[in-house]
Amino acid sequence: MSSAPWSSAAFLSFLFFLPAVDTNPIPPVHNSSVRHNVVIVMSDAFDGRLTVAPENHLVDLPNLNFLKQHGAVFLNAYTNSPICCPSRAAMWSGLFPHLTKSWNNYKCLDPDYPTWMDLVKQKGYVTQKFGKQDYKSGSHSLSNRVEAWTRDVQFLLRQEGRPVASLVANKTQTRIMKEDWKNVDLATGWLRKQAASSSQPFFLYLGLNLPHPYPSVNMGENFGASTFLTSPYWLQRVSYQDVTIPKWLPLKAMHPVDYYSSYSKNCTGNFTSQEIRDIRAYYYAMCAETDAIMGEVISALVDTGLLNTTYVLFTSDHGELAMEHRQFYKMSMYEGSSHIPLLIMGPNIQSGNRISNIVSLVDLYPTMLEIAGVSTPEHISGFSLLPLSCASSNNDIIPGSELRPNWALSQFHGADANASTYMLRENDWKFIVYSDGGSFPPQLFDVLKDPEELNNVAAQFPKIVRSMEKKLRSILDYKKVSAVVHQYNKESFASWKESVGSNYTKVISNLRWHLDWSLKPKTYELAIDRWLKNESNGISKGTGYMPHKLFNEKRKAR
């Protein structure tokens, strides 16, 4: 049960940035007392489907391919919330977002919340973090939190800058995301200097911003984050002719929540095929840059001789729609947004292992604890990935304990969607419900037969819908959770509104909404006042609302 031997020549054939060094195969570990190291790299907005296909022709990802060849790749890994902070909170806590009340990018874990890294440190491991962590409450922009709080208000406003693609002029420039390269330099320097000279085992975490789109320079506070930026150097790693234009449903045929998301993301206007293809190609180029950073980490482990005793993991907080379903960004349960990469290489991990079991980010918490020899708390939502990673697999579901379910739960309560959203992925089915289960119609997709998720078959398979609904409600009372989030949103917004006092109109008009808000500020102020004063606001149990007159009018006009 060990990784297959690999030579330095094979190693170099995969990696762009690694030196020509001799390496040894990762040996099988029969002594359970041996303490191993862990390096986990967590990117931001990396589409997990790029790591699933046996041969990815869209973009060269040699370093991730190396992990796949000499380790395990999870073919059906999902985020527990398709947005930065709540998803990372799930990874660090091992708990579903509704259990920690991680509702949006502003409301997540308390600063002193004990993570898995805190527990392994208590076990005697050296721990080190570099880069983006983003799982504690209080972060992100004012725009981001106000937009999340007011999603139940009956108005429709653009919250994002229109997505664009941009290319830097320097053809040889490789370090586009300078902050990430600075942090990988710190991480690899730490491996070469501190970790290599110490006899203590370690856990190293590196958080990346890539391949998250960059801030746009023309949109309000924090600028909206809507530019797909790369250089010709990375773009040449992309097979541009293979970049597809995703199919879109007509605006009038879109699910109401999808339409709201598309509009708030500034994507309901006209886009040329060139614009769409560039956005997607530049995104893949940003993934290539991410892959190169992963190569730097592996290179440092090879140089120091640490690779043989180190588990190396790569994952992401969520994916990127890149203009699928007429959207960019995340905040959606479609595969581009919710399907994440999850690769692991290390002692006893089967080489080339392709695991079809459905897993999610909460599984990393017990996985880290098992590697460290720390007992997993009983209340944790996830299950260790080591038994699956070390088992033989032929792209089939690996039988496991009855205690390990073959499903994943994801939920979303933040901005750019006008309803709490819940997704249950089980077997080939993806089931999505909203708010109270009645304000918006559910969705059901067969992800194998309909990978583009354009055919909602909920009406054709009522028995499957009832079964999935029952399963979902056995995991959480989503109607109650939606009501709690709705109340939190109102109270949080009311408190903030009171804190700014007479500056309320001025402040809110300078958020990313300003393109729409400035046209009818009094109308939108009245809508907010009605929402704050009316407990029910014409909605079912205060958890969502059907498309109102303005919403319908804008759809009909298109």
Side-chain angles (χ1 to χ4, degrees), residues 30 53 91 112 134 139 158 190 223 225 232 252 308 422 526 542:
H30 302 292
M91 187 275 289
D112 57 350
D134 200 17
S139 60
R158 286 169 288 182
W190 184 85
F223 309 124
K252 294 179 181 180
N308 294 340
Y422 306 87
L526 288 174

PDB file of all heavy atoms in Angstrom, residues 30 53 91 112 134 139 158 190 223 225 232 252 308 422 526 542:
ATOM      1  N   HIS A  30       5.057   0.873   8.050  1.00  0.00           N
ATOM      2  CA  HIS A  30       4.426  -0.193   8.820  1.00  0.00           C
ATOM      3  C   HIS A  30       4.440   0.104  10.313  1.00  0.00           C
ATOM      4  O   HIS A  30       3.713  -0.523  11.076  1.00  0.00           O
ATOM      5  CB  HIS A  30       5.143  -1.518   8.554  1.00  0.00           C
ATOM      6  CG  HIS A  30       5.153  -1.899   7.104  1.00  0.00           C
ATOM      7  ND1 HIS A  30       4.009  -2.258   6.420  1.00  0.00           N
ATOM      8  CD2 HIS A  30       6.162  -1.964   6.200  1.00  0.00           C
ATOM      9  CE1 HIS A  30       4.306  -2.541   5.166  1.00  0.00           C
ATOM     10  NE2 HIS A  30       5.612  -2.368   4.991  1.00  0.00           N
ATOM     11  N   ALA A  53     -10.527  14.979 -14.808  1.00  0.00           N
ATOM     12  CA  ALA A  53     -10.343  14.290 -16.085  1.00  0.00           C
ATOM     13  C   ALA A  53      -8.971  13.615 -16.139  1.00  0.00           C
ATOM     14  O   ALA A  53      -7.968  14.215 -15.738  1.00  0.00           O
ATOM     15  CB  ALA A  53     -10.484  15.277 -17.237  1.00  0.00           C
ATOM     16  N   MET A  91     -13.583  23.877   6.888  1.00  0.00           N
ATOM     17  CA  MET A  91     -12.339  23.122   6.838  1.00  0.00           C
ATOM     18  C   MET A  91     -11.592  23.170   8.162  1.00  0.00           C
ATOM     19  O   MET A  91     -11.116  22.159   8.669  1.00  0.00           O
ATOM     20  CB  MET A  91     -11.456  23.663   5.703  1.00  0.00           C
ATOM     21  CG  MET A  91     -10.205  22.846   5.429  1.00  0.00           C
ATOM     22  SD  MET A  91      -8.778  23.262   6.488  1.00  0.00           S
ATOM     23  CE  MET A  91      -8.325  24.865   5.828  1.00  0.00           C
ATOM     24  N   ASP A 112     -10.836  32.912  18.659  1.00  0.00           N
ATOM     25  CA  ASP A 112     -10.169  31.905  19.482  1.00  0.00           C
ATOM     26  C   ASP A 112     -10.723  30.503  19.276  1.00  0.00           C
ATOM     27  O   ASP A 112     -10.493  29.604  20.086  1.00  0.00           O
ATOM     28  CB  ASP A 112     -10.268  32.288  20.963  1.00  0.00           C
ATOM     29  CG  ASP A 112     -11.707  32.457  21.438  1.00  0.00           C
ATOM     30  OD1 ASP A 112     -12.621  32.467  20.589  1.00  0.00           O
ATOM     31  OD2 ASP A 112     -11.918  32.603  22.658  1.00  0.00           O
ATOM     32  N   ASP A 134      -8.541  33.456   6.357  1.00  0.00           N
ATOM     33  CA  ASP A 134      -9.891  33.903   6.012  1.00  0.00           C
ATOM     34  C   ASP A 134     -11.001  32.984   6.524  1.00  0.00           C
ATOM     35  O   ASP A 134     -11.848  32.528   5.759  1.00  0.00           O
ATOM     36  CB  ASP A 134      -9.984  34.044   4.489  1.00  0.00           C
ATOM     37  CG  ASP A 134     -11.142  34.937   4.058  1.00  0.00           C
ATOM     38  OD1 ASP A 134     -11.652  35.672   4.909  1.00  0.00           O
ATOM     39  OD2 ASP A 134     -11.511  34.899   2.882  1.00  0.00           O
ATOM     40  N   SER A 139     -14.047  39.968   8.806  1.00  0.00           N
ATOM     41  CA  SER A 139     -13.243  40.332   7.633  1.00  0.00           C
ATOM     42  C   SER A 139     -14.130  40.733   6.468  1.00  0.00           C
ATOM     43  O   SER A 139     -15.348  40.764   6.565  1.00  0.00           O
ATOM     44  CB  SER A 139     -12.353  39.142   7.227  1.00  0.00           C
ATOM     45  OG  SER A 139     -13.148  38.026   6.912  1.00  0.00           O
ATOM     46  N   ARG A 158     -27.259  45.718  -8.858  1.00  0.00           N
ATOM     47  CA  ARG A 158     -25.986  45.113  -9.224  1.00  0.00           C
ATOM     48  C   ARG A 158     -24.986  45.306  -8.082  1.00  0.00           C
ATOM     49  O   ARG A 158     -24.767  46.415  -7.616  1.00  0.00           O
ATOM     50  CB  ARG A 158     -25.460  45.758 -10.508  1.00  0.00           C
ATOM     51  CG  ARG A 158     -26.211  45.318 -11.752  1.00  0.00           C
ATOM     52  CD  ARG A 158     -25.859  46.166 -12.952  1.00  0.00           C
ATOM     53  NE  ARG A 158     -26.438  47.501 -12.832  1.00  0.00           N
ATOM     54  CZ  ARG A 158     -26.325  48.437 -13.766  1.00  0.00           C
ATOM     55  NH1 ARG A 158     -25.644  48.191 -14.868  1.00  0.00           N
ATOM     56  NH2 ARG A 158     -26.885  49.614 -13.604  1.00  0.00           N
ATOM     57  N   TRP A 190      10.855  28.531   4.865  1.00  0.00           N
ATOM     58  CA  TRP A 190      10.663  27.897   6.182  1.00  0.00           C
ATOM     59  C   TRP A 190      10.956  26.406   6.106  1.00  0.00           C
ATOM     60  O   TRP A 190      11.583  25.836   7.007  1.00  0.00           O
ATOM     61  CB  TRP A 190       9.231  28.135   6.646  1.00  0.00           C
ATOM     62  CG  TRP A 190       8.950  27.611   8.026  1.00  0.00           C
ATOM     63  CD1 TRP A 190       9.186  28.243   9.214  1.00  0.00           C
ATOM     64  CD2 TRP A 190       8.378  26.337   8.353  1.00  0.00           C
ATOM     65  NE1 TRP A 190       8.793  27.439  10.267  1.00  0.00           N
ATOM     66  CE2 TRP A 190       8.295  26.257   9.757  1.00  0.00           C
ATOM     67  CE3 TRP A 190       7.926  25.257   7.604  1.00  0.00           C
ATOM     68  CZ2 TRP A 190       7.780  25.152  10.428  1.00  0.00           C
ATOM     69  CZ3 TRP A 190       7.421  24.146   8.251  1.00  0.00           C
ATOM     70  CH2 TRP A 190       7.345  24.095   9.642  1.00  0.00           C
ATOM     71  N   PHE A 223     -13.595  47.602  -4.789  1.00  0.00           N
ATOM     72  CA  PHE A 223     -13.535  47.513  -6.251  1.00  0.00           C
ATOM     73  C   PHE A 223     -14.194  46.313  -6.900  1.00  0.00           C
ATOM     74  O   PHE A 223     -14.133  46.160  -8.090  1.00  0.00           O
ATOM     75  CB  PHE A 223     -12.075  47.607  -6.715  1.00  0.00           C
ATOM     76  CG  PHE A 223     -11.348  48.766  -6.141  1.00  0.00           C
ATOM     77  CD1 PHE A 223     -10.184  48.580  -5.427  1.00  0.00           C
ATOM     78  CD2 PHE A 223     -11.846  50.054  -6.278  1.00  0.00           C
ATOM     79  CE1 PHE A 223      -9.497  49.658  -4.884  1.00  0.00           C
ATOM     80  CE2 PHE A 223     -11.181  51.135  -5.737  1.00  0.00           C
ATOM     81  CZ  PHE A 223     -10.003  50.940  -5.034  1.00  0.00           C
ATOM     82  N   ALA A 225     -13.780  43.011  -7.280  1.00  0.00           N
ATOM     83  CA  ALA A 225     -13.122  41.744  -7.606  1.00  0.00           C
ATOM     84  C   ALA A 225     -13.707  41.061  -8.832  1.00  0.00           C
ATOM     85  O   ALA A 225     -14.421  40.077  -8.727  1.00  0.00           O
ATOM     86  CB  ALA A 225     -13.153  40.806  -6.400  1.00  0.00           C
ATOM     87  N   PRO A 232       0.934  36.689 -20.873  1.00  0.00           N
ATOM     88  CA  PRO A 232       1.109  35.774 -22.014  1.00  0.00           C
ATOM     89  C   PRO A 232       1.872  34.508 -21.642  1.00  0.00           C
ATOM     90  O   PRO A 232       1.657  33.456 -22.243  1.00  0.00           O
ATOM     91  CB  PRO A 232       1.893  36.627 -23.018  1.00  0.00           C
ATOM     92  CG  PRO A 232       1.532  38.038 -22.680  1.00  0.00           C
ATOM     93  CD  PRO A 232       1.392  38.053 -21.180  1.00  0.00           C
ATOM     94  N   LYS A 252     -35.456  34.493 -19.439  1.00  0.00           N
ATOM     95  CA  LYS A 252     -36.805  34.237 -18.942  1.00  0.00           C
ATOM     96  C   LYS A 252     -36.970  32.815 -18.427  1.00  0.00           C
ATOM     97  O   LYS A 252     -37.897  32.536 -17.663  1.00  0.00           O
ATOM     98  CB  LYS A 252     -37.832  34.519 -20.035  1.00  0.00           C
ATOM     99  CG  LYS A 252     -37.909  35.987 -20.441  1.00  0.00           C
ATOM    100  CD  LYS A 252     -38.930  36.203 -21.548  1.00  0.00           C
ATOM    101  CE  LYS A 252     -38.983  37.664 -21.956  1.00  0.00           C
ATOM    102  NZ  LYS A 252     -39.976  37.909 -23.050  1.00  0.00           N
ATOM    103  N   ASN A 308       9.529  12.237   1.426  1.00  0.00           N
ATOM    104  CA  ASN A 308       9.253  10.837   1.732  1.00  0.00           C
ATOM    105  C   ASN A 308       8.418  10.648   2.987  1.00  0.00           C
ATOM    106  O   ASN A 308       7.759   9.617   3.142  1.00  0.00           O
ATOM    107  CB  ASN A 308      10.572  10.062   1.888  1.00  0.00           C
ATOM    108  CG  ASN A 308      11.341   9.990   0.585  1.00  0.00           C
ATOM    109  OD1 ASN A 308      10.778  10.173  -0.485  1.00  0.00           O
ATOM    110  ND2 ASN A 308      12.625   9.720   0.687  1.00  0.00           N
ATOM    111  N   TYR A 422     -29.408  25.234  -0.267  1.00  0.00           N
ATOM    112  CA  TYR A 422     -28.905  23.984   0.300  1.00  0.00           C
ATOM    113  C   TYR A 422     -28.764  22.958  -0.815  1.00  0.00           C
ATOM    114  O   TYR A 422     -29.673  22.779  -1.633  1.00  0.00           O
ATOM    115  CB  TYR A 422     -29.856  23.455   1.373  1.00  0.00           C
ATOM    116  CG  TYR A 422     -30.150  24.472   2.450  1.00  0.00           C
ATOM    117  CD1 TYR A 422     -31.183  25.390   2.287  1.00  0.00           C
ATOM    118  CD2 TYR A 422     -29.385  24.536   3.608  1.00  0.00           C
ATOM    119  CE1 TYR A 422     -31.453  26.344   3.255  1.00  0.00           C
ATOM    120  CE2 TYR A 422     -29.649  25.492   4.589  1.00  0.00           C
ATOM    121  CZ  TYR A 422     -30.674  26.393   4.408  1.00  0.00           C
ATOM    122  OH  TYR A 422     -30.934  27.347   5.359  1.00  0.00           O
ATOM    123  N   LEU A 526     -36.934  53.233   0.966  1.00  0.00           N
ATOM    124  CA  LEU A 526     -38.275  52.835   1.397  1.00  0.00           C
ATOM    125  C   LEU A 526     -38.417  51.314   1.410  1.00  0.00           C
ATOM    126  O   LEU A 526     -39.053  50.745   2.301  1.00  0.00           O
ATOM    127  CB  LEU A 526     -39.327  53.460   0.478  1.00  0.00           C
ATOM    128  CG  LEU A 526     -39.546  54.964   0.633  1.00  0.00           C
ATOM    129  CD1 LEU A 526     -40.501  55.479  -0.451  1.00  0.00           C
ATOM    130  CD2 LEU A 526     -40.099  55.291   2.022  1.00  0.00           C
ATOM    131  N   GLY A 542     -40.653  34.298   6.824  1.00  0.00           N
ATOM    132  CA  GLY A 542     -39.510  35.210   6.845  1.00  0.00           C
ATOM    133  C   GLY A 542     -38.229  34.616   6.325  1.00  0.00           C
ATOM    134  O   GLY A 542     -37.159  34.935   6.802  1.00  0.00           O
TER     135      GLY A 542
END
